[in-house]
Amino acid sequence: MRKFTKAAAMLCAAAMVIPSASVFAAEDGGASELTEVGTYPISEEPLEFTMFRTNMPNVEDFQTNDFTKYMEDLTNIKFTFEAVARDDRAEKLNMEFNTNTYPDVIMHYAPDAAKWGVEEGILIPLDDLIEANMPNYMEKMGQYLDQMRETDGHIYQLAGLNECYHCQYARKMWVNTKYLDEMGVDVPQTTQEFYDVCKKFVETYPDKIAIGGASSGWYVDFVAWLMGSFTLDSGEYGKLALTPDGEMVSAATTEEWREGLRYIKSLYDIGAIYDGNFTQDSEQLRTIMNQEDVPVLFVPFGTISDGIDSDSNNEVYRQYQCISPLEGPDGTRITPYFKYSGLETGSFSITDKCSNPAAVLRWVDYFFSEKGDISAQFGADEGKDWVWEPNDGSVGLNGEPAMYKISDDAQYSSEVQNHDWQDLVIRYAPAEYRLGAATDPDVDTGTSAGLEKLLYDATKEKQEPYGQNPENGDLDVLPDLKMTADESTELQTIQVEVKNYINSAKVAFITGTKSLDDDWDTYLKELDACGLQTMIDIYQAAYDRQFKAE
């Protein structure tokens, strides 16, 4: 493993090919204008920057947010935010890069570092700047520095750590148990039982929706969940996955995938699948879920709180229960274990337009302080929003003495608020911290205060036992792979075309406009024409470089 101190020598060697703004950033970054590292304010004179970031419906306005004001007062640094919806951010930011209208800073989204950093020099290398300006980050994240390096040896993006247990098994399906009780049926455990329940629901409630879903949002794809009864849907472009031997394959070309689509088509044929699932976004799904007559039986959400608010619609919230993946015809029963998701390797970038990278890095270093993450998540008013190290005997989800206690008023909610930033920030949340939130062992999981326990229990009981196991021959999810600039450029168009074709073909096969018997070979040929094999070869080369090189 390379030592971090080697980065300085590597950076000097590369200086001649890095744009002049990046050279300045690497050598000083404006540090001479600032107060002592680790002290606040960061600058005696006010500093202003622009930031591109992800938006979310339950944060009203980052510009006027209470936590934004807190950070401005603490650091003497002000940001003007461009907040973009999750599904639009890639296209939007790439357009800004191409038109030279990009901001100083990018947070909670990872632009292509191989292209925009290594090749174009728009994202600046951060190697020496991190060491000089981020003591909290070095202490907490220093062990991960080598995993952040691109193929040229430099670091262009800070990583966050969010070891969220329930997020590592985020592909959840929820069922309205009120309807199950009314129909006199149990929670289905197999694909056949699921089919039977859906059929009875359609016959009993012909004006309601047996299976809901959306085309965009946080784990709202019903097809992906149902595929767990046939094969692993990794969620990657091209549905790429690894065999136990480390070979890259596309699950979307396998017979298991075809049989999964055949099963889902059978559900569509009985009227169990709402056509809107293929085009609506998660907000539209949420609107349907909150209609007065509660029209949905099964619905996928990473957390049910994204679909129904526990406070304003509590009766309905309590009706939904997480279910286990279904056992398929051959015994397959997989819920993806996204084991690499804790390390978020592209959470923060600085562009060559930034006039003072050192100040920006000192600003973001706050989030890696003892109380930085909790303040961003729940509000910065210690004692009111949260208490650190409560001395009231509280225990965390893990049964250990609680690290902190969140007030009832500051608990996470899907309702619109303007007090904090929620998850839309670079995070430092290791497992012991996530599980260290004070939780009454007897907390009512039907309330907002019980959400973390609800998700923890559902994950532990309904999902973890079914995570993929390569030792048993299962396909596996991909680790973070670093591409060269050439590879990244070649993938840029291929990935989108492959993804779009798989999605459109999936809908066509399920709805019957394409035949799984007559059109399957054509589908495979079209995937090759889109560049799927090239994509597989590039990913294989990157994997071999990182994990098979001697």
Side-chain angles (χ1 to χ4, degrees):
M1 297 268 301
R2 289 188 296 265
K3 299 295 185 182
F4 184 78
T5 52
K6 190 174 180 180
M10 297 171 68
L11 191 57
C12 291
M16 290 187 294
V17 296
I18 297 174
S20 58
S22 296
V23 174
F24 169 78
E27 292 174 352
D28 178 79
S32 59
E33 306 170 15
L34 307 178
T35 59
E36 183 180 349
V37 172
T39 64
Y40 299 98
I42 291 169
S43 171
E44 297 296 344
E45 297 297 322
L47 298 176
E48 295 191 14
F49 305 98
T50 55
M51 179 188 290
F52 182 100
R53 63 177 306 156
T54 307
N55 196 10
M56 195 170 180
N58 63 343
V59 177
E60 180 181 305
D61 186 348
F62 285 107
Q63 209 63 58
T64 60
N65 192 278
D66 292 343
F67 181 70
T68 302
K69 175 63 174 171
Y70 168 79
M71 288 299 289
E72 290 175 3
D73 292 343
L74 176 70
T75 65
N76 211 13
I77 292 175
K78 180 178 181 178
F79 282 94
T80 299
F81 299 109
E82 179 186 5
V84 179
R86 183 183 301 269
D87 296 315
D88 299 331
R89 56 192 180 180
E91 181 180 356
K92 176 69 172 173
L93 187 57
N94 284 343
M95 181 183 71
E96 292 184 10
F97 282 145
N98 285 316
T99 57
N100 197 35
T101 57
Y102 53 87
D104 299 312
V105 176
I106 299 142
M107 183 167 68
H108 200 262
Y109 174 62
D112 186 343
K115 177 175 177 55
W116 303 116
V118 177
E119 186 176 59
E120 300 291 340
I122 289 176
L123 306 181
I124 67 170
L126 304 176
D127 309 48
D128 288 354
L129 286 171
I130 293 172
E131 191 170 21
N133 294 284
M134 302 189 71
N136 295 326
Y137 192 81
M138 286 298 297
E139 177 186 352
K140 306 290 199 317
M141 299 294 293
Q143 61 183 307
Y144 301 110
L145 291 176
D146 278 333
Q147 296 180 51
M148 303 175 206
R149 298 188 190 280
E150 297 300 320
T151 54
D152 67 347
H154 296 306
I155 298 171
Y156 293 88
Q157 298 174 329
L158 300 180
L161 190 69
N162 185 9
E163 294 179 322
C164 166
Y165 174 60
H166 71 82
C167 304
Q168 291 180 316
Y169 297 89
R171 192 172 287 158
K172 294 176 169 65
M173 181 68 81
W174 306 81
V175 63
N176 189 309
T177 56
K178 175 176 176 285
Y179 289 131
L180 295 185
D181 292 342
E182 288 178 359
M183 292 188 293
V185 297
D186 296 327
V187 174
Q189 300 295 322
T190 68
T191 50
Q192 184 60 55
E193 290 176 2
F194 187 85
Y195 176 92
D196 293 340
V197 169
C198 287
K199 189 172 186 296
K200 187 166 186 175
F201 183 83
V202 170
E203 293 169 350
T204 307
Y205 309 96
D207 296 329
K208 298 185 185 294
I209 299 168
I211 305 171
S215 62
S216 61
W218 201 58
Y219 294 99
V220 290
D221 182 354
F222 76 97
V223 174
W225 186 85
L226 287 168
M227 273 296 173
S229 304
F230 299 87
T231 188
L232 173 75
D233 182 342
S234 65
E236 296 281 351
Y237 284 109
K239 307 301 180 184
L240 297 191
L242 281 169
T243 69
D245 296 328
E247 297 302 311
M248 202 73 55
V249 297
S250 169
T253 64
T254 64
E255 282 301 306
E256 290 83 359
W257 187 267
R258 176 155 63 159
E259 290 310 302
L261 292 176
R262 197 183 303 279
Y263 170 72
I264 299 169
K265 182 181 185 302
S266 74
L267 294 168
Y268 182 83
D269 289 344
I270 61 170
I273 295 171
Y274 174 53
D275 280 309
N277 294 352
F278 300 118
T279 55
Q280 68 186 2
D281 61 25
S282 58
E283 279 305 297
Q284 291 169 305
L285 174 59
R286 177 182 169 87
T287 299
I288 292 173
M289 293 286 295
N290 286 274
Q291 291 180 14
E292 187 174 349
D293 61 348
V294 195
V296 184
L297 176 61
F298 293 104
V299 64
F301 277 109
T303 166
I304 190 60
S305 59
D306 281 351
I308 303 168
D309 184 69
S310 58
D311 296 325
S312 62
N313 201 2
N314 188 255
E315 181 180 353
V316 174
Y317 183 86
R318 291 175 180 275
Q319 292 170 6
Y320 282 90
Q321 172 187 321
C322 184
I323 68 175
S324 299
L326 307 170
E327 182 178 335
D330 67 353
T332 299
R333 195 175 194 181
I334 294 173
T335 189
Y337 170 35
F338 298 110
K339 55 190 174 185
Y340 303 110
S341 63
L343 184 63
E344 301 171 339
T345 55
S347 295
F348 196 89
S349 313
I350 300 176
T351 75
D352 59 358
K353 286 194 176 185
C354 182
S355 61
N356 200 321
V360 168
L361 290 179
R362 294 187 192 187
W363 177 89
V364 78
D365 198 47
Y366 175 76
F367 296 94
F368 294 85
S369 65
E370 186 178 57
K371 300 172 184 176
D373 184 83
I374 194 173
S375 296
Q377 293 292 300
F378 303 105
D381 193 342
E382 184 173 2
K384 180 180 180 181
D385 294 325
W386 47 268
V387 175
W388 195 258
E389 295 181 345
N391 57 5
D392 58 359
S394 300
V395 296
L397 281 170
N398 54 10
E400 300 294 323
M403 295 177 65
Y404 56 94
K405 188 172 188 176
I406 307 300
S407 71
D408 290 343
D409 292 339
Q411 296 289 341
Y412 180 86
S413 169
S414 57
E415 294 290 279
V416 177
Q417 55 80 41
N418 210 32
H419 185 58
D420 48 58
W421 286 1
Q422 305 285 326
D423 292 320
L424 302 173
V425 66
I426 188 169
R427 297 203 62 187
Y428 179 71
E432 61 271 19
Y433 166 76
R434 290 286 310 229
L435 299 177
T439 306
D440 181 351
D442 299 319
V443 66
D444 183 352
T445 56
T447 65
S448 58
L451 177 60
E452 284 293 324
K453 182 168 174 56
L454 171 72
L455 295 172
Y456 179 87
D457 290 346
T459 302
K460 177 65 71 174
E461 298 166 11
K462 307 291 178 61
Q463 294 186 279
E464 185 179 1
Y466 306 105
Q468 76 275 6
N469 185 356
E471 292 183 3
N472 291 340
D474 294 342
L475 296 178
D476 205 357
V477 297
L478 306 186
D480 183 56
L481 299 176
K482 302 298 185 184
M483 305 294 173
T484 66
D486 287 343
E487 289 169 341
S488 178
T489 299
E490 189 170 7
L491 283 172
Q492 202 167 31
T493 301
I494 293 175
Q495 287 184 140
V496 173
E497 290 186 357
V498 168
K499 175 185 176 182
N500 289 343
Y501 184 71
I502 289 175
N503 284 341
S504 63
K506 170 185 75 178
V507 175
F509 284 131
I510 292 170
T511 59
T513 59
K514 286 183 184 291
S515 167
L516 284 162
D517 296 314
D518 299 337
D519 297 319
W520 184 255
D521 289 342
T522 301
Y523 160 73
L524 296 179
K525 290 176 183 177
E526 287 296 324
L527 271 178
D528 276 341
C530 290
L532 176 62
Q533 188 56 54
T534 300
M535 182 178 167
I536 290 172
D537 292 343
I538 291 173
Y539 271 81
Q540 187 72 61
Y543 179 81
D544 291 348
R545 251 193 332 261
Q546 288 176 235
F547 297 97
K548 291 186 178 181
E550 296 182 356

